[in-house]
């Protein structure tokens, strides 16, 4: 029988939050290697919440955000997203390309860079998750969209026949020099995958 999000104990919640911490740390390490610069990360804020609360956490349904979304298959299934507002996306592109642009519009090369960053960050996160659990976790090719948060989040909402209604939400802050970037990882497993994860971690029989 699938485990309901509401039935998770404090210990099980703590394990899922620790996965968020380790995954985010792994992702930032990969970013540092990609840009060949030192990247520092504040302790991520990890929350488990209902999907309907996510847009509020991002600043409201109408805020413009950049979203990188991929589906997850293998031993567990669901959706993974990396979301950041337009300003943070510009900061991230500037770090990668060594530019100092202030424009909140992105050209084709910059969009490609954002997609690659999103691919590396989400892939590194999922690799950490696979390493912790010994599960086979296969990410799809990521898709990038720039739109209002409500529209971006409608994509996984449409998939709700396949995924659960709760989210592992990891708020990250990383910096390179004096530049700080805030971004959010969202892991949305289907309901059965919560049980798969917890069994793989030895928290339930």
């Amino acid at each position: 029988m699938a485990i309901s999000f509401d039935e998770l104990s404090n210990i099980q919640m703590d394990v899922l939050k620790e996965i968020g911490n380790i995954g985010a740390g792994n992702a930032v390490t990969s970013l540092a290697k990609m840009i060949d610069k030192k990247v520092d990360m504040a302790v991520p804020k990890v929350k488990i919440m209902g999907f309907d609360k996510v847009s509020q956490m991002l600043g409201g349904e109408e805020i413009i955000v950049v979203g990188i979304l991929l589906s997850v298959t293998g031993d567990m299934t669901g959706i993974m997203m990396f979301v950041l507002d337009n300003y943070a996306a510009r900061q991230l592109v500037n770090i990668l390309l060594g530019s100092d642009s202030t424009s909140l519009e992105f050209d084709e090369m910059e969009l490609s860079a954002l997609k690659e960053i999103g691919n590396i960050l989400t892939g590194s996160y999922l690799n950490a998750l696979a390493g912790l659990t010994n599960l086979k976790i296969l990410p799809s090719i990521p898709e990038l969209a720039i739109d209002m948060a409500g529209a971006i989040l409608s994509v996984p909402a449409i998939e709700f026949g396949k995924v659960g209604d709760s989210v592992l939400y990891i708020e990250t802050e990383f910096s390179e020099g004096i530049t700080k970037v805030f971004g959010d990882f969202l892991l949305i497993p289907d309901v059965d995958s919560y049980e798969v994860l917890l069994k793989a971690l030895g928290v339930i029989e």
Side-chain angles (χ1 to χ4, degrees):
M1 179 182 293
I3 290 179
S4 162
F5 171 65
D6 297 327
E7 293 170 355
L8 294 177
S9 70
N10 286 337
I11 292 174
Q12 292 164 348
M13 289 277 202
D14 286 344
V15 169
L16 288 177
K17 288 180 178 180
E18 186 57 22
I19 287 173
N21 275 322
I22 294 169
N26 205 49
V28 170
T29 299
S30 293
L31 176 63
K33 288 178 181 173
M34 179 184 184
I35 64 174
D36 196 24
K37 292 178 181 175
K38 183 175 184 288
V39 177
D40 296 311
M41 183 181 77
V43 176
K45 297 174 184 174
V46 184
K47 301 173 184 176
I48 299 173
M49 65 179 69
F51 187 79
D52 56 350
K53 300 287 191 293
V54 172
S55 62
Q56 295 171 28
M57 292 296 296
L58 294 175
E61 290 190 356
E62 295 185 358
I63 188 172
I64 300 295
V65 298
V66 175
I68 292 106
L69 180 144
L70 49 86
S71 59
V72 179
T73 55
D75 292 334
M76 64 169 282
T77 54
I79 290 172
M80 178 92 200
M81 296 182 76
F82 180 63
V83 182
L84 59 170
D85 67 32
N86 254 12
Y87 178 75
R90 165 51 63 195
Q91 298 288 85
L92 201 51
V93 167
N94 283 354
I95 289 171
L96 181 64
L97 300 181
S99 62
D100 56 3
S101 171
T102 56
S103 171
L104 295 182
E105 302 288 328
F106 301 96
D107 62 28
E108 193 171 328
M109 183 174 73
E110 291 170 333
L111 288 173
S112 177
L114 270 176
K115 192 171 182 179
E116 183 58 23
I117 291 168
N119 187 22
I120 287 171
L121 291 175
T122 51
S124 300
Y125 181 96
L126 292 172
N127 283 341
L129 184 57
L132 283 168
T133 57
N134 288 321
L135 293 173
K136 186 178 182 181
I137 299 175
L138 306 171
S140 68
I141 295 171
E143 297 177 17
L144 181 141
I146 301 176
D147 207 333
M148 291 188 296
I152 297 272
L153 293 171
S154 70
V155 178
I158 291 167
E159 296 287 316
F160 261 24
K162 303 173 190 171
V163 301
D165 63 353
S166 53
V167 178
L168 183 62
Y169 182 98
I170 305 108
E171 186 180 336
T172 57
E173 173 194 334
F174 43 94
S175 55
E176 186 276 313
I178 60 171
T179 304
K180 290 187 177 180
V181 177
F182 298 87
D184 303 304
F185 290 96
L186 309 176
L187 179 62
I188 315 168
D190 66 19
V191 178
D192 291 335
S193 290
Y194 277 109
E195 184 172 9
V196 171
L197 265 177
L198 293 170
K199 280 184 175 176
L201 292 162
V203 232
I204 61 171
E205 296 294 328

